[in-house]
Every structure is written in structure tokens, then in C-alpha cells.
Amino acid sequence: MSKRIVFFALFALLIISCAETKYVPDGEYLLDKVELQSDQPARYISVSDMRSYIRQRGNSRWFSTTKLPLKTYSLSGRDSSKWVNRMLRAMGEPPVIYDSALTMQSMQSLLSQMQNLGYLRSSVDVATFVRGKKLRAVYTLHPGVPYFLRSVNYDIQDSAVAKILDGINPAQRVLQKGMVFNADNLDRERSQITQYLVNRGYYHFNKDFISYRADSIEGTNEIDLTLVLHPYHDNTTGYRPHQVYTIGRINYLSGDADKQEIPLRRKVLERNTFLTEGQTYSARDLRNTYNHFGRLGIVRYTSINFHESEEKPVLDCDINLSTNKSSTISFQPEGTNTAGDLGAAATLTFQNRNIFRGSENLSIELRGAYEAIRGLEGYASDNYVEYSIGSHLTFPRFVAPFLARSFRRRINATSELSANYDMQNRPEFHRRVFSVAWKYKWNDQRHHDRYQVDLLDLNYIYMPWISKTFSDEYLENTSSRNSILRYNYENLFIMKIGFGYTYNNERWAIKANVETAGNLLNLASNALHFHTNAEGQSTFLNIAYAQYARGTFDFTRNINFDYNNQLVFHVGLGIAYPYGNSRILPFEKRYFSGGANSVRGWSVRSLGPGKFVGTDGRIDFINQTGDMKLDVNLEYRAKLFWKFSGALFLDAGNIWTLREYEEQPGGKFELTEFWNQLAASYGLGIRLNFDYFIVRFDMGMKAVNPAYDDHIGHFPLLHPKFSRDFAFHFAVGLPF
């Protein structure tokens, strides 16, 4: 039977491989491959960047090898009335038929771009190679020698503008003597001057008022360049100097036909308006006004219109605001699956986007969940029930004293007050969590940086009931007593502050976060002599408080080969240390490894710490946590066909403890040993991209397993065992 399966699989692959030219008409060719090369090393030309100027490319390839989308299309029959044929064609990709006209356009685009880069005497040729009904096209670039700027001069035909442009630091100008004669640099210089002027009142100025004169030096590859700034010209007044405009009246109007009044306080409207009556017009102020009104949740869209005075250079401004409904109610049901235990949950959310007529956002969320728990013995109940209520109040600005007005207006900021109460009833215990937090989030409009400050975050964890079975078996049994487990089933108070930073320019991203807890309470305890419990911990309101420091850092680098292929590198590091009033980190602050976003050869919370091996599946979720984490991931992503994409990945990492715990033998971090305790895995993934979200299926296999000391167990890459080494993950969104 197995031989037949192998035979039919090989036969199907053979049929698919021969079907690429099935829908290529006679006398025409399938564009099998397009190559681009240069006949000489080019200092200023990147061949990879020039590929985008080729107008016709071959069919997309699966991981840059197999043309799976084309083969999927070719599997369809010619009868388009059958649904299976229509489906295969919709999922696949039709053959790319070689077009000589597009080849000529590609050559012209490549030539124009090389000339724009300063290679004025460049050329391009193309060679085609035919094999059967397939054609391979090879473009060859002949850049030649680039031209350089021998001098840069300015002919400003408006004396007032000339004085203003003198304010630009010569070192900050785009065009500099000795640089390559590059069309992109010429356009950047025009844009820089235009932005400089429109931000200083020149409302009607644009790049068309700037031109260039370029004189080549005979017998050399040098150019004398002159930038010409022309005076204003229209059909009525002819040539005249450019005018500086000021802002006149500013009017706020409702953009909704059914609303006579804008539902925002006048002070809020003025705070988000950067244009000022009587001051010089600025395009930057106009852009900031659009951006700040766009951040208000109550505002649907903004339209700003200027009315020019006939008598003097004054602009009256109408700001039209169209607003959303202030209040909404939503209901969201969901299914849950926790380690095979099925359940259901529902969330009811009320939201008011304009609670104080300043676009403050108030949301109140009620959530209920139920889950049937299997495999528990000796407990009166086998159900998990959770109820929670949470509220968030967000202000679209800094709510804080002592901040300069210029800083407030330059920064996009929000201030958030939140309060949550969560009630969990499990067969083993009942748990209550109450939290209150005050946070700030902001970013500078001109950069990719984002910041967050958790000014105060209070968490009160209360355990009103623990079953006798659970207590006797795990918490009080002297033969199996687990200090880490016990610590996480005691009442605890956490008072923390934190700071977060993110940077993302779509090529690489950084995310860092630091937080510390208990230090203010510890200072108060030393001064006021707080009560000490039986464990020697200081208490606040008769509850021990946690004291620790914690930091995480993530770095991600994206390398895009083309539209369909991408290589992503990621490294994540986390370290936390309990001290003072704590010997153990709270469970929520401990690190774990394995799962869909970590080392994917292991299921979630099943790896580490170090070379620790779990022995009791019911409490290993506590034991397999640590104070330090390292993840290193390399993932190759490729678009396959239709909504499907694929990935090949390599993962490495683990977690460790910073202290020696009896419950976690082999888990402590040792500088000389941790290299031998790095786990590694490999695998492949399938992703469905539905635009608004991505559904991900990742299949990982263990490659190096630090839990085993013997050669066979330690290197499953060389001795694979599917039942032992395979892990399947389902997730929403990309891992990093």
C-alpha cells in the first residue's frame, strides 16, 4: 500500500512539473526566468534595486524555487463551467507570456534610471534564450562612468526669497560640490527649498518654480549646475515677487448635515489647531492640524479650506469636522481551548468616544467565560468559571503638570486610567485580581519612536479559597513541597512603575521595556516599620508586596528580497531579578519558553529552565518558568498562492533561573554552561492572509534538546522521533 502511495505521489509531481506550459499558446513563450546583471562593478548602482524597473517578470516561485501558483493554475481543466477548474484558477496564477513590447519598455526604464543616477552615457541590452516553449531573458547593464558636480550655483530671481534661503545652512543643503549628478538629489533639493518656503508663508509656492541649468565640461565627466528659482507668474498679473500670506479668521464648522454644532469644547478645538490667527501661514502647521484632529476618536474626517482675501495676502480658514457616534455597544462571543479543555466566553463592551466633550474615550467591558476541565480527580467540581469587569478612560493628550506647551503640541500623546476586577473559580482554587493603572503613551510626529510610561500600576491578588485536595497534595505536603508553587498561591500586592520604548521603520524594529516593583513600598517600610509576616516579608495592609526589577529587549530585522520573499531575523532577551522583599518572581512576571512565538519545536511552557525535565504535568506550568529568557529566530517567508504564504524557520533559545531552586534542578544560569543548554528547532509554517488578520499554522521539530544528556536524546536532529519531537501551533498574527 505504501509503495502505491509513493508511486502515485511521484507520478502526480511529474505531471505537475510538465504542466507549466499547458496554457501557453502555440508560437508564444512562457517567461521562465528574468535575470539582471551589470558588466562592471558599479559604485552607485545596486543591481537588486534596479530589478524594480523591469516591467515583466516570470511567475512567482515557491521559496524562490518551484512555481507552485502556476502549477496550481495548470491543474485546472479547460472547461471553465466546472467549479473545481474555476477554484484552481482563482487560487493559482496564469502563465506569464513573454511580451517583447514590455521588454523594450523595461530597457528604457532601466536606461532612464541609470541616467537619473548620473550615468549619462549608459546603455542596456537584453538577450533571450529559448528552450521549448520557455524563454529566459537576461538584461545587461552598461553603466559607464558617472558624472559629478564640479560646482553648484543659485539664481534666485526674487530678492525676498533669496534672503530667506540664506538661512539654510550650506552644509545642510542636498546638493554639494563633488557629489554624483543624481536626479533624485536634484528633486530632493527642490523639495527641501519648497518645504522651507511654504513653512514660512509662501502659500502658492511649489516645485514648478524651480528649474536647473546643467553645463557639461567637454572632455570630462563633470557638470556645472545652476538652480534657478523663478518669480511668481499668472495670466492676470504676469511676473511678480512671491507673496507671504498670514492667517485671518479661523472658523469651526460641522461637516455633518444632521448636526448644527460640533460636539467638542472650544478649548479642545483650539488645542488641536496649529494654525494661528494673525500669524504667518505654514504648511507644517496645516499638516499638524490634520494629524491632531485625526487622532481624536470622535472625529471621522477633517477638511480644511482656505479663502484668499482679494485685498491683501490673508487666508481665512474653515475647519470642517465630521464626527462619529459618541456611544456604541458591542457583543463578541468566542470559543476557547486551553490545553484541550474546551469552553466558551462572551464579552459585552460599552464605549463612549466623547465622554467629557474632549474626545475622551471611556470603555466598560464585561466578560464571562466557562471551561470544562478534564483529567482532574479528587475535586468537587470540574468546571472553570471566570467573570471580569474592566474600564478604561483615555485622554488624547498629556494629563500632567509642568509640561511645556511646545512639547505638548509637538507630541502625539494619550493618558490612560484603567481599573479591572477579575474573578476566577477553578476546581483547585478561587482567585481574585484587582488592578488600577495610570499610563502615558506618546510619539514624536517626525520620528518612528514610541514611548510608554507606567506611572503607577497596582495589582492586588487575593486567594479566598484553596481546595483541601490541592493544598494537601502540593502546598502542605512536606515530601513534595514546592516553594515556587506555594508563592504563587498566596495573597500578593504588586506596585510597579515601568518604561517602554519601540522603534519601527519597517526594515528593523526595536522593542524594550523595563519595570521595577516594590521599591517605594520598601522605602516606606523602612521608615514606618511595616509589619513582618511569618516568612520574614514586610507587608502592606497585611499583604506581602513583591519587589523585583525586570527588563526585556527585542530586535527584529526584515530583509525583503522582492515582493514575494522575505528573510526575518529576531532576537529576544529578558531578565528579571527578585530581591529585597521577594525571593521568587510573581508568576505573571516569570518567563517561559516554547510555543508559537518562541522555540517552536516545543509546546507552550514545556521548555526549560536550563536542562530541567518536568515530572508532574499538573504543576509543570509553574516549574517550567524562569528569571531569564533568550530567543533567536530566523524565518524565511514566501508568498505561495491565493491567500496562502509559507515559512521555513530555525529557532533557538531557552529560559533559566538566576537563583538555585530545589524544584528546578539544572535550571540555574551558568555562564560556562548555558551554551550547552540552548534548545534548537526547525520547521515550516502555513499562513492565511485575510488582510485584516493572519491565521498561522506552524509545525516544528526539535533539533537540540538540552533536557537529555545522551547523544541520541540531545540531538533529535540526527535521531528524529516524530511522536516525541513534533509540535503543532495555531496562532493569529506573525510571531515577530
Side-chain angles (χ1 to χ4, degrees), residues 610-646:
K611 58 181 181 180
F612 170 80
V613 181
T615 57
D616 189 337
R618 292 171 293 182
I619 63 170
D620 280 340
F621 72 97
I622 290 286
N623 286 331
Q624 297 201 265
T625 58
D627 309 322
M628 179 179 177
K629 180 178 181 178
L630 174 64
D631 277 334
V632 180
N633 312 91
L634 186 67
E635 183 168 286
Y636 181 80
R637 299 169 183 169
K639 181 176 174 57
L640 301 182
F641 57 90
W642 192 47
K643 301 288 186 180
F644 288 90
S645 296

Side-chain angles (χ1 to χ4, degrees), residues 272-534:
N272 288 279
T273 302
F274 285 71
L275 299 166
T276 305
E277 293 183 1
Q279 290 192 2
T280 303
Y281 164 82
S282 169
R284 182 187 298 113
D285 291 342
L286 174 63
R287 184 169 59 253
N288 286 337
T289 302
Y290 270 112
N291 290 341
H292 276 68
F293 276 113
R295 293 178 56 249
L296 302 182
I298 190 64
V299 176
R300 186 164 67 245
Y301 66 83
T302 307
S303 175
I304 302 177
N305 301 315
F306 292 101
H307 306 284
E308 189 172 345
S309 172
E310 296 181 357
E311 301 175 355
K312 51 186 176 180
V314 174
L315 300 171
D316 292 331
C317 175
D318 290 341
I319 300 179
N320 298 274
L321 300 176
S322 178
T323 56
N324 295 304
K325 291 182 178 179
S326 60
S327 299
T328 59
I329 297 178
S330 62
F331 177 77
Q332 180 180 356
E334 60 182 289
T336 62
N337 184 344
T338 305
D341 295 332
L342 302 179
T347 303
L348 181 67
T349 303
F350 167 79
Q351 185 178 52
N352 189 312
R353 298 185 179 91
N354 198 32
I355 187 69
F356 302 127
R357 293 177 59 86
S359 195
E360 300 88 356
N361 192 328
L362 172 67
S363 65
I364 300 175
E365 183 178 281
L366 301 174
R367 186 178 188 273
Y370 169 85
E371 199 168 86
I373 301 177
R374 302 175 299 169
L376 286 179
E377 298 180 1
Y379 295 92
S381 171
D382 59 356
N383 299 324
Y384 167 70
V385 179
E386 179 181 4
Y387 302 100
S388 65
I389 179 171
S391 62
H392 296 263
L393 177 60
T394 302
F395 300 87
R397 62 187 185 278
F398 270 117
V399 180
F402 313 121
L403 293 178
R405 184 174 183 270
S406 59
F407 176 78
R408 293 174 184 267
R409 291 171 68 83
R410 189 179 77 246
I411 299 298
N412 291 332
T414 59
S415 305
E416 179 182 311
L417 174 65
S418 62
N420 298 277
Y421 178 74
D422 186 55
M423 184 179 74
Q424 305 169 12
N425 289 345
R426 285 187 60 91
E428 311 99 311
F429 57 84
H430 291 175
R431 192 170 187 254
R432 309 290 183 258
V433 180
F434 177 71
S435 61
V436 178
W438 179 256
K439 302 178 180 180
Y440 296 109
K441 300 177 182 179
W442 75 94
N443 67 283
D444 194 310
Q445 304 171 44
R446 293 167 290 184
H447 301 94
H448 301 283
D449 309 86
R450 293 181 179 274
Y451 306 87
Q452 175 174 325
V453 170
D454 299 339
L455 188 65
L456 188 63
D457 193 334
L458 306 177
N459 292 270
Y460 171 47
I461 303 169
Y462 175 55
M463 307 292 297
W465 175 81
I466 297 177
S467 72
K468 189 175 185 304
T469 301
F470 187 79
S471 179
D472 292 344
E473 188 171 353
Y474 293 107
L475 304 183
E476 303 299 337
N477 190 331
T478 57
S479 64
S480 62
R481 188 163 177 171
N482 188 315
S483 61
I484 297 177
L485 183 67
R486 180 167 182 163
Y487 179 76
N488 286 282
Y489 289 93
E490 296 176 346
N491 298 337
L492 185 65
F493 186 77
I494 302 175
M495 178 179 177
K496 75 178 184 72
I497 59 175
F499 175 78
Y501 169 78
T502 61
Y503 178 90
N504 192 337
N505 64 4
E506 298 182 355
R507 289 181 289 112
W508 52 279
I510 293 175
K511 184 177 182 180
N513 185 79
V514 293
E515 65 180 69
T516 181
N519 294 330
L520 293 178
L521 288 174
N522 194 61
L523 289 174
S525 176
N526 293 334
L528 303 176
H529 304 291
F530 285 180
H531 178 265
T532 302
N533 63 16

Side-chain angles (χ1 to χ4, degrees), residues 539-585:
T539 62
F540 176 72
L541 301 177
N542 292 323
I543 303 170
Y545 57 86
Q547 192 173 4
Y548 65 85
R550 187 177 191 266
T552 59
F553 175 83
D554 284 271
F555 173 81
T556 303
R557 176 72 168 95
N558 296 324
I559 303 174
N560 294 311
F561 299 117
D562 52 44
Y563 175 76
N564 294 317
N565 297 277
Q566 182 184 50
L567 183 66
V568 183
F569 171 76
H570 168 260
V571 58
L573 175 65
I575 186 168
Y577 186 72
Y579 59 91
N581 212 46
S582 296
R583 180 176 171 270
I584 302 169
L585 282 172

